[in-house]
């Protein structure tokens, strides 16, 4: 690690930046994927200390000063596969899918626009689904990008509380996560949809090849 290590950093700045963390993608032909993942994690940890103030320049300076120190740590010693893909910095290849449940949305219009922006920025497809009081987010895409989405969802002030003050999403749960299988439909875009009945919502899941997922995780939300 004596020579300087070329590093490519891509920052995705969400709507509420700098009140929430940026999405970060780390690439380098000189690092393994595991090392790229560690560098990204350390950058996000540092970003948490800089919330509410512009941080991209500070993070670039910080990683320039600390990269060698980070890479000397034992947790970066895994794997020899190089981290050269701009679309993926994880060892898990292929398309992944996750189903999220939100308890409520008070500032619905702004919240929906924010979710659409994150999905677009992170190249995720799927559905934001409303049926009565049930709110579900089904995401498909690179697993690393889905993880980035979850970080944004949990760290950004995307809604308002009962007094109207901006607040973070504290009542989100991951119902299911899996690698997309051959029987699963590939969503071509991210769409917001409202359903008038449970049967209508069920048909959406069945059309997507997710009948079992609906039975195991969605039905219990209405009981």
């Amino acid at each position: 690690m004596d020579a300087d290590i070329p590093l490519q950093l891509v920052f995705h700045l969400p709507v509420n930046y700098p009140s929430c963390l940026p999405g970060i993608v780390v690439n380098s032909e000189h690092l393994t994927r595991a090392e790229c993942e560690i560098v990204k994690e350390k950058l996000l940890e540092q970003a948490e200390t800089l919330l509410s103030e512009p941080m991209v320049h500070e993070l670039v300076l910080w990683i320039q000063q600390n990269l060698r120190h980070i890479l000397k740590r034992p947790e970066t010693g895994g794997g020899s596969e190089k981290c050269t893909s701009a679309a993926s910095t994880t060892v898990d290849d292929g398309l992944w899918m996750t189903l999220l449940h939100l308890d409520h949305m008070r500032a619905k219009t702004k919240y929906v626009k924010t979710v659409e922006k994150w999905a677009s920025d992170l190249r995720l497809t799927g559905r934001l689904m409303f049926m009565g009081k049930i709110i579900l987010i089904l995401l498909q895409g690179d697993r690393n990008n889905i993880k980035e989405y979850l970080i944004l969802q949990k760290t950004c002030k995307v809604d308002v509380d009962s007094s109207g003050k901006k607040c973070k999403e504290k009542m989100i749960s991951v119902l299911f996560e899996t690698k997309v299988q051959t029987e699963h439909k590939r969503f071509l875009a991210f769409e917001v949809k409202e359903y008038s009945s449970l049967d209508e919502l069920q048909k959406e899941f069945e059309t997507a090849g997710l009948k079992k997922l609906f039975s195991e995780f969605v039905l219990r939300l209405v009981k």
Side-chain angles (χ1 to χ4, degrees):
M1 293 295 176
D2 292 335
D4 288 338
I5 301 168
L7 201 64
Q8 180 187 25
L9 302 178
V10 179
F11 292 90
H12 299 283
L13 304 184
V15 177
N16 294 327
Y17 173 85
S19 296
C20 60
L21 297 179
I24 302 175
V25 179
V26 178
N27 291 297
S28 175
E29 293 182 358
H30 299 266
L31 301 179
T32 66
R33 287 189 173 185
E35 287 172 330
C36 285
E37 196 66 19
I38 291 292
V39 171
K40 187 191 77 172
E41 287 175 7
K42 298 303 179 187
L43 277 166
L44 287 171
E45 287 176 11
Q46 181 65 15
E48 286 182 355
T49 69
L50 300 169
L51 279 174
S52 299
E53 57 184 270
M55 65 183 79
V56 172
H57 182 62
E58 292 296 324
L59 290 174
V60 171
L61 292 177
W62 183 84
I63 199 63
Q64 286 176 336
Q65 295 168 1
N66 292 278
L67 181 60
R68 292 185 189 182
H69 176 62
I70 291 169
L71 294 175
K72 286 178 181 177
R73 293 182 178 178
E75 69 256 39
T76 62
S80 59
E81 191 173 356
K82 297 300 179 186
C83 172
T84 57
S85 169
S88 175
T89 56
T90 174
V91 294
D92 296 293
D93 296 317
L95 205 61
W96 278 74
M97 175 173 59
T98 190
L99 181 66
L100 310 175
H101 174 238
L102 295 178
D103 185 73
H104 61 269
M105 282 186 187
R106 286 195 174 94
K108 183 177 177 180
T109 302
K110 182 184 176 185
Y111 204 133
V112 168
K113 286 183 179 179
T114 301
V115 170
E116 288 179 311
K117 176 76 163 53
W118 290 342
S120 174
D121 289 348
L122 295 169
R123 300 186 299 281
L124 298 174
T125 62
R127 297 285 186 270
L128 170 54
M129 299 174 278
F130 296 92
M131 200 290 293
K133 292 185 178 181
I134 296 175
I135 307 170
L136 299 168
I137 302 176
L138 183 65
L139 298 172
Q140 281 186 356
D142 179 84
R143 193 180 190 188
N144 198 52
N145 288 358
I146 290 176
K147 289 180 180 177
E148 296 280 2
Y149 177 93
L150 286 170
I151 290 171
L152 292 171
Q153 182 85 59
K154 292 175 181 178
T155 59
C156 290
K157 292 183 178 180
V158 289
D159 207 2
V160 295
D161 60 21
S162 56
S163 63
K165 292 177 63 178
K166 290 182 179 180
C167 65
K168 296 177 183 178
E169 179 56 71
K170 296 178 181 178
M171 302 185 74
I172 183 172
S173 54
V174 179
L175 299 180
F176 186 77
E177 183 183 33
T178 184
K179 199 166 186 177
V180 172
Q181 306 300 317
T182 52
E183 69 268 21
H184 297 152
K185 171 185 174 182
R186 267 66 169 172
F187 292 102
L188 300 179
F190 186 83
E191 297 178 20
V192 180
K193 300 187 76 172
E194 303 218 13
Y195 306 86
S196 57
S197 68
L198 191 62
D199 286 343
E200 200 177 325
L201 180 61
Q202 184 173 350
K203 285 178 184 176
E204 177 79 65
F205 276 79
E206 289 178 353
T207 302
L210 301 171
K211 184 176 181 180
K212 185 178 179 183
L213 178 64
F214 181 85
S215 299
E216 289 184 15
F217 298 98
V218 181
L219 276 181
R220 69 186 186 193
L221 297 174
V222 297
K223 293 178 180 177

